[in-house]
Amino acid sequence: MANYTFGEIDNVKEGDSFSDRKALREAGIHLALVAGIDGNQSVGASSIVLNGGYVDDLDLGSEIIYTGQGGNDANTKRQVADQKWTLGNKALLVSEMSGLPVRLTRGFNHKSEFSPKSGYVYGGLYRVTDHFEEKGKDGYTICRFRLEKINSFENSLQIGKPAVPELFTTSERVATTVLRIIRDTKLSKRVKELYDYKCQVCGIQISVKGIKYAEGAHIKPLGNPHKGEDKLGNLLCLCPNHHVMFDKGVFTIHPSEYSLIGIGGELTFDHKKHVLDQENLKYHQEHIFINH
DNA sequence: GGGCCCGCAGGG
DNA sequence: CCCTGCGGGCCC
């Protein structure tokens, strides 16, 4: 059993170059010589390599949409089969749940403005913030992960410093076991008031001295690559637990019958004032709901 | 530059 | 023990 180290490695800093995978291994950054995901299903993933092995990869610098492993033809680098939520993909899921950082190394084979021309460059620490399923460019199901760079702001949250006030105007960063972004727009306030801050799944209302708390949950997620809209038909009023369960794909909502799939109970909602977008529900069922 | 195959390390 | 994986070198 290999001993995986999480976080920064002594004597290696962001931007350091390595000639090949063997050098990366010797530095202690990434142990596997071929596989792009280091780690296992019990401790999670400690490191990944982004090197053009999968055509659907997207590198935006501080945000990466990474393709999981499997179903890939070693010679053509194209998908020839569906991927599954096993092996390294499961390790990345474990990392998403634990919130432990994942080292990122970029290789010369991936073409982006952040990739090196030759060899491998250590790119710092990232957190797995999201996972979903997609049909890749080659027509097969791929497991995908959103990784977000851990910056000084997020590190400051880790040691309990208060968040920067101006960020509260559009979004509120909340440190939980897994870092999430809870947007508190006028719309999400509206959906909460519509249900009097009661969770549409379990009915619980969180209230302290009459001050109520609930979360506005987007059905089709905002941000890349989903690009869901911030509109009432794309929002639910949920308690924190059911918000996490919904976002992580534990349950979904039937696009036309509005029944709950994956957990018991039924969704309460105001058919007149709150028209749920069926396309977005379909999107959630196909891409986010993986508990099948 | 593309195809091919040998490789190792580690997980299951 | 077998299998797989975002290498890599060598051939053409």
Side-chain angles (χ1 to χ4, degrees), chain A residues 135-153:
Chain A
K135 282 270 184 269
K137 287 174 181 162
D138 294 328
Y140 293 94
T141 300
I142 52 174
C143 299
R144 311 211 77 191
F145 300 88
R146 178 200 316 283
L147 290 112
E148 292 179 50
K149 196 162 199 311
I150 300 174
N151 56 33
S152 54
F153 170 64

PDB file of all heavy atoms in Angstrom, chain A residues 135-153:
ATOM      1  N   LYS A 135     -22.024  13.218 -21.793  1.00  0.00           N
ATOM      2  CA  LYS A 135     -21.601  12.499 -22.986  1.00  0.00           C
ATOM      3  C   LYS A 135     -20.406  13.281 -23.517  1.00  0.00           C
ATOM      4  O   LYS A 135     -20.505  14.473 -23.773  1.00  0.00           O
ATOM      5  CB  LYS A 135     -22.717  12.475 -24.033  1.00  0.00           C
ATOM      6  CG  LYS A 135     -23.803  11.450 -23.721  1.00  0.00           C
ATOM      7  CD  LYS A 135     -23.507  10.101 -24.344  1.00  0.00           C
ATOM      8  CE  LYS A 135     -24.649   9.099 -24.122  1.00  0.00           C
ATOM      9  NZ  LYS A 135     -24.455   8.315 -22.883  1.00  0.00           N
ATOM     10  N   GLY A 136     -19.270  12.611 -23.642  1.00  0.00           N
ATOM     11  CA  GLY A 136     -18.075  13.285 -24.132  1.00  0.00           C
ATOM     12  C   GLY A 136     -18.124  13.517 -25.626  1.00  0.00           C
ATOM     13  O   GLY A 136     -19.086  13.111 -26.300  1.00  0.00           O
ATOM     14  N   LYS A 137     -17.100  14.143 -26.159  1.00  0.00           N
ATOM     15  CA  LYS A 137     -17.033  14.438 -27.590  1.00  0.00           C
ATOM     16  C   LYS A 137     -17.124  13.181 -28.442  1.00  0.00           C
ATOM     17  O   LYS A 137     -17.557  13.221 -29.583  1.00  0.00           O
ATOM     18  CB  LYS A 137     -15.734  15.185 -27.912  1.00  0.00           C
ATOM     19  CG  LYS A 137     -15.747  16.619 -27.434  1.00  0.00           C
ATOM     20  CD  LYS A 137     -14.410  17.306 -27.629  1.00  0.00           C
ATOM     21  CE  LYS A 137     -14.454  18.751 -27.110  1.00  0.00           C
ATOM     22  NZ  LYS A 137     -13.136  19.322 -26.888  1.00  0.00           N
ATOM     23  N   ASP A 138     -16.667  12.057 -27.873  1.00  0.00           N
ATOM     24  CA  ASP A 138     -16.681  10.818 -28.645  1.00  0.00           C
ATOM     25  C   ASP A 138     -17.976  10.025 -28.469  1.00  0.00           C
ATOM     26  O   ASP A 138     -18.097   8.900 -28.963  1.00  0.00           O
ATOM     27  CB  ASP A 138     -15.468   9.957 -28.267  1.00  0.00           C
ATOM     28  CG  ASP A 138     -14.163  10.626 -28.695  1.00  0.00           C
ATOM     29  OD1 ASP A 138     -14.175  11.333 -29.718  1.00  0.00           O
ATOM     30  OD2 ASP A 138     -13.146  10.440 -28.012  1.00  0.00           O
ATOM     31  N   GLY A 139     -18.927  10.580 -27.719  1.00  0.00           N
ATOM     32  CA  GLY A 139     -20.238   9.959 -27.609  1.00  0.00           C
ATOM     33  C   GLY A 139     -20.414   8.972 -26.472  1.00  0.00           C
ATOM     34  O   GLY A 139     -21.453   8.329 -26.369  1.00  0.00           O
ATOM     35  N   TYR A 140     -19.406   8.847 -25.612  1.00  0.00           N
ATOM     36  CA  TYR A 140     -19.525   7.935 -24.475  1.00  0.00           C
ATOM     37  C   TYR A 140     -19.653   8.727 -23.179  1.00  0.00           C
ATOM     38  O   TYR A 140     -19.193   9.869 -23.094  1.00  0.00           O
ATOM     39  CB  TYR A 140     -18.313   7.007 -24.401  1.00  0.00           C
ATOM     40  CG  TYR A 140     -18.239   6.044 -25.559  1.00  0.00           C
ATOM     41  CD1 TYR A 140     -17.485   6.344 -26.694  1.00  0.00           C
ATOM     42  CD2 TYR A 140     -18.942   4.845 -25.524  1.00  0.00           C
ATOM     43  CE1 TYR A 140     -17.430   5.463 -27.762  1.00  0.00           C
ATOM     44  CE2 TYR A 140     -18.898   3.961 -26.586  1.00  0.00           C
ATOM     45  CZ  TYR A 140     -18.135   4.272 -27.703  1.00  0.00           C
ATOM     46  OH  TYR A 140     -18.096   3.407 -28.755  1.00  0.00           O
ATOM     47  N   THR A 141     -20.272   8.093 -22.187  1.00  0.00           N
ATOM     48  CA  THR A 141     -20.433   8.746 -20.890  1.00  0.00           C
ATOM     49  C   THR A 141     -19.074   8.937 -20.229  1.00  0.00           C
ATOM     50  O   THR A 141     -18.261   8.015 -20.176  1.00  0.00           O
ATOM     51  CB  THR A 141     -21.322   7.892 -19.966  1.00  0.00           C
ATOM     52  OG1 THR A 141     -22.602   7.744 -20.581  1.00  0.00           O
ATOM     53  CG2 THR A 141     -21.489   8.554 -18.602  1.00  0.00           C
ATOM     54  N   ILE A 142     -18.828  10.156 -19.762  1.00  0.00           N
ATOM     55  CA  ILE A 142     -17.591  10.420 -19.039  1.00  0.00           C
ATOM     56  C   ILE A 142     -17.917  10.976 -17.656  1.00  0.00           C
ATOM     57  O   ILE A 142     -18.923  11.639 -17.464  1.00  0.00           O
ATOM     58  CB  ILE A 142     -16.660  11.404 -19.799  1.00  0.00           C
ATOM     59  CG1 ILE A 142     -17.414  12.670 -20.194  1.00  0.00           C
ATOM     60  CG2 ILE A 142     -16.051  10.742 -21.032  1.00  0.00           C
ATOM     61  CD1 ILE A 142     -16.523  13.736 -20.816  1.00  0.00           C
ATOM     62  N   CYS A 143     -17.050  10.645 -16.704  1.00  0.00           N
ATOM     63  CA  CYS A 143     -17.174  11.157 -15.347  1.00  0.00           C
ATOM     64  C   CYS A 143     -16.356  12.437 -15.277  1.00  0.00           C
ATOM     65  O   CYS A 143     -15.197  12.453 -15.688  1.00  0.00           O
ATOM     66  CB  CYS A 143     -16.611  10.151 -14.337  1.00  0.00           C
ATOM     67  SG  CYS A 143     -17.475   8.575 -14.363  1.00  0.00           S
ATOM     68  N   ARG A 144     -16.950  13.483 -14.789  1.00  0.00           N
ATOM     69  CA  ARG A 144     -16.246  14.758 -14.796  1.00  0.00           C
ATOM     70  C   ARG A 144     -16.184  15.393 -13.408  1.00  0.00           C
ATOM     71  O   ARG A 144     -17.064  15.189 -12.576  1.00  0.00           O
ATOM     72  CB  ARG A 144     -16.902  15.733 -15.759  1.00  0.00           C
ATOM     73  CG  ARG A 144     -17.149  15.112 -17.128  1.00  0.00           C
ATOM     74  CD  ARG A 144     -17.067  16.133 -18.202  1.00  0.00           C
ATOM     75  NE  ARG A 144     -15.689  16.468 -18.495  1.00  0.00           N
ATOM     76  CZ  ARG A 144     -15.339  17.492 -19.263  1.00  0.00           C
ATOM     77  NH1 ARG A 144     -16.253  18.272 -19.765  1.00  0.00           N
ATOM     78  NH2 ARG A 144     -14.081  17.726 -19.503  1.00  0.00           N
ATOM     79  N   PHE A 145     -15.129  16.164 -13.234  1.00  0.00           N
ATOM     80  CA  PHE A 145     -14.893  16.807 -11.943  1.00  0.00           C
ATOM     81  C   PHE A 145     -14.538  18.258 -12.153  1.00  0.00           C
ATOM     82  O   PHE A 145     -13.769  18.596 -13.047  1.00  0.00           O
ATOM     83  CB  PHE A 145     -13.731  16.115 -11.214  1.00  0.00           C
ATOM     84  CG  PHE A 145     -13.996  14.665 -10.948  1.00  0.00           C
ATOM     85  CD1 PHE A 145     -13.659  13.700 -11.888  1.00  0.00           C
ATOM     86  CD2 PHE A 145     -14.617  14.266  -9.775  1.00  0.00           C
ATOM     87  CE1 PHE A 145     -13.923  12.365 -11.661  1.00  0.00           C
ATOM     88  CE2 PHE A 145     -14.887  12.927  -9.541  1.00  0.00           C
ATOM     89  CZ  PHE A 145     -14.537  11.973 -10.486  1.00  0.00           C
ATOM     90  N   ARG A 146     -15.097  19.103 -11.300  1.00  0.00           N
ATOM     91  CA  ARG A 146     -14.669  20.494 -11.277  1.00  0.00           C
ATOM     92  C   ARG A 146     -13.634  20.627 -10.168  1.00  0.00           C
ATOM     93  O   ARG A 146     -13.842  20.175  -9.041  1.00  0.00           O
ATOM     94  CB  ARG A 146     -15.828  21.433 -10.992  1.00  0.00           C
ATOM     95  CG  ARG A 146     -15.414  22.921 -10.922  1.00  0.00           C
ATOM     96  CD  ARG A 146     -16.419  23.766 -10.184  1.00  0.00           C
ATOM     97  NE  ARG A 146     -17.755  23.424 -10.611  1.00  0.00           N
ATOM     98  CZ  ARG A 146     -18.290  23.812 -11.753  1.00  0.00           C
ATOM     99  NH1 ARG A 146     -17.617  24.591 -12.561  1.00  0.00           N
ATOM    100  NH2 ARG A 146     -19.491  23.430 -12.080  1.00  0.00           N
ATOM    101  N   LEU A 147     -12.496  21.206 -10.509  1.00  0.00           N
ATOM    102  CA  LEU A 147     -11.469  21.483  -9.512  1.00  0.00           C
ATOM    103  C   LEU A 147     -11.243  22.977  -9.459  1.00  0.00           C
ATOM    104  O   LEU A 147     -11.131  23.621 -10.502  1.00  0.00           O
ATOM    105  CB  LEU A 147     -10.166  20.756  -9.872  1.00  0.00           C
ATOM    106  CG  LEU A 147     -10.238  19.239  -9.709  1.00  0.00           C
ATOM    107  CD1 LEU A 147     -10.169  18.538 -11.042  1.00  0.00           C
ATOM    108  CD2 LEU A 147      -9.141  18.755  -8.797  1.00  0.00           C
ATOM    109  N   GLU A 148     -11.201  23.518  -8.264  1.00  0.00           N
ATOM    110  CA  GLU A 148     -10.977  24.956  -8.106  1.00  0.00           C
ATOM    111  C   GLU A 148      -9.713  25.183  -7.308  1.00  0.00           C
ATOM    112  O   GLU A 148      -9.475  24.531  -6.291  1.00  0.00           O
ATOM    113  CB  GLU A 148     -12.174  25.606  -7.405  1.00  0.00           C
ATOM    114  CG  GLU A 148     -13.433  25.589  -8.261  1.00  0.00           C
ATOM    115  CD  GLU A 148     -14.630  26.213  -7.560  1.00  0.00           C
ATOM    116  OE1 GLU A 148     -14.494  27.334  -7.046  1.00  0.00           O
ATOM    117  OE2 GLU A 148     -15.680  25.552  -7.500  1.00  0.00           O
ATOM    118  N   LYS A 149      -8.926  26.114  -7.803  1.00  0.00           N
ATOM    119  CA  LYS A 149      -7.649  26.402  -7.159  1.00  0.00           C
ATOM    120  C   LYS A 149      -7.882  26.933  -5.752  1.00  0.00           C
ATOM    121  O   LYS A 149      -8.786  27.721  -5.513  1.00  0.00           O
ATOM    122  CB  LYS A 149      -6.869  27.435  -7.976  1.00  0.00           C
ATOM    123  CG  LYS A 149      -5.404  27.500  -7.610  1.00  0.00           C
ATOM    124  CD  LYS A 149      -4.618  28.187  -8.717  1.00  0.00           C
ATOM    125  CE  LYS A 149      -3.144  27.893  -8.640  1.00  0.00           C
ATOM    126  NZ  LYS A 149      -2.549  28.077  -7.332  1.00  0.00           N
ATOM    127  N   ILE A 150      -7.094  26.463  -4.839  1.00  0.00           N
ATOM    128  CA  ILE A 150      -7.180  26.960  -3.470  1.00  0.00           C
ATOM    129  C   ILE A 150      -6.325  28.208  -3.396  1.00  0.00           C
ATOM    130  O   ILE A 150      -5.105  28.153  -3.554  1.00  0.00           O
ATOM    131  CB  ILE A 150      -6.667  25.904  -2.473  1.00  0.00           C
ATOM    132  CG1 ILE A 150      -7.504  24.634  -2.580  1.00  0.00           C
ATOM    133  CG2 ILE A 150      -6.698  26.461  -1.062  1.00  0.00           C
ATOM    134  CD1 ILE A 150      -6.988  23.484  -1.748  1.00  0.00           C
ATOM    135  N   ASN A 151      -6.966  29.350  -3.216  1.00  0.00           N
ATOM    136  CA  ASN A 151      -6.202  30.598  -3.148  1.00  0.00           C
ATOM    137  C   ASN A 151      -6.087  31.075  -1.702  1.00  0.00           C
ATOM    138  O   ASN A 151      -6.579  30.440  -0.792  1.00  0.00           O
ATOM    139  CB  ASN A 151      -6.835  31.666  -4.034  1.00  0.00           C
ATOM    140  CG  ASN A 151      -8.292  31.907  -3.667  1.00  0.00           C
ATOM    141  OD1 ASN A 151      -8.657  31.795  -2.504  1.00  0.00           O
ATOM    142  ND2 ASN A 151      -9.112  32.223  -4.649  1.00  0.00           N
ATOM    143  N   SER A 152      -5.447  32.212  -1.533  1.00  0.00           N
ATOM    144  CA  SER A 152      -5.206  32.694  -0.173  1.00  0.00           C
ATOM    145  C   SER A 152      -6.524  32.985   0.544  1.00  0.00           C
ATOM    146  O   SER A 152      -6.633  32.794   1.746  1.00  0.00           O
ATOM    147  CB  SER A 152      -4.348  33.949  -0.205  1.00  0.00           C
ATOM    148  OG  SER A 152      -4.941  34.898  -1.051  1.00  0.00           O
ATOM    149  N   PHE A 153      -7.529  33.405  -0.231  1.00  0.00           N
ATOM    150  CA  PHE A 153      -8.825  33.705   0.382  1.00  0.00           C
ATOM    151  C   PHE A 153      -9.438  32.454   0.999  1.00  0.00           C
ATOM    152  O   PHE A 153      -9.885  32.452   2.138  1.00  0.00           O
ATOM    153  CB  PHE A 153      -9.772  34.293  -0.661  1.00  0.00           C
ATOM    154  CG  PHE A 153     -11.186  34.401  -0.186  1.00  0.00           C
ATOM    155  CD1 PHE A 153     -11.514  35.242   0.866  1.00  0.00           C
ATOM    156  CD2 PHE A 153     -12.184  33.644  -0.776  1.00  0.00           C
ATOM    157  CE1 PHE A 153     -12.820  35.325   1.323  1.00  0.00           C
ATOM    158  CE2 PHE A 153     -13.489  33.734  -0.321  1.00  0.00           C
ATOM    159  CZ  PHE A 153     -13.807  34.575   0.723  1.00  0.00           C
TER     160      PHE A 153
END
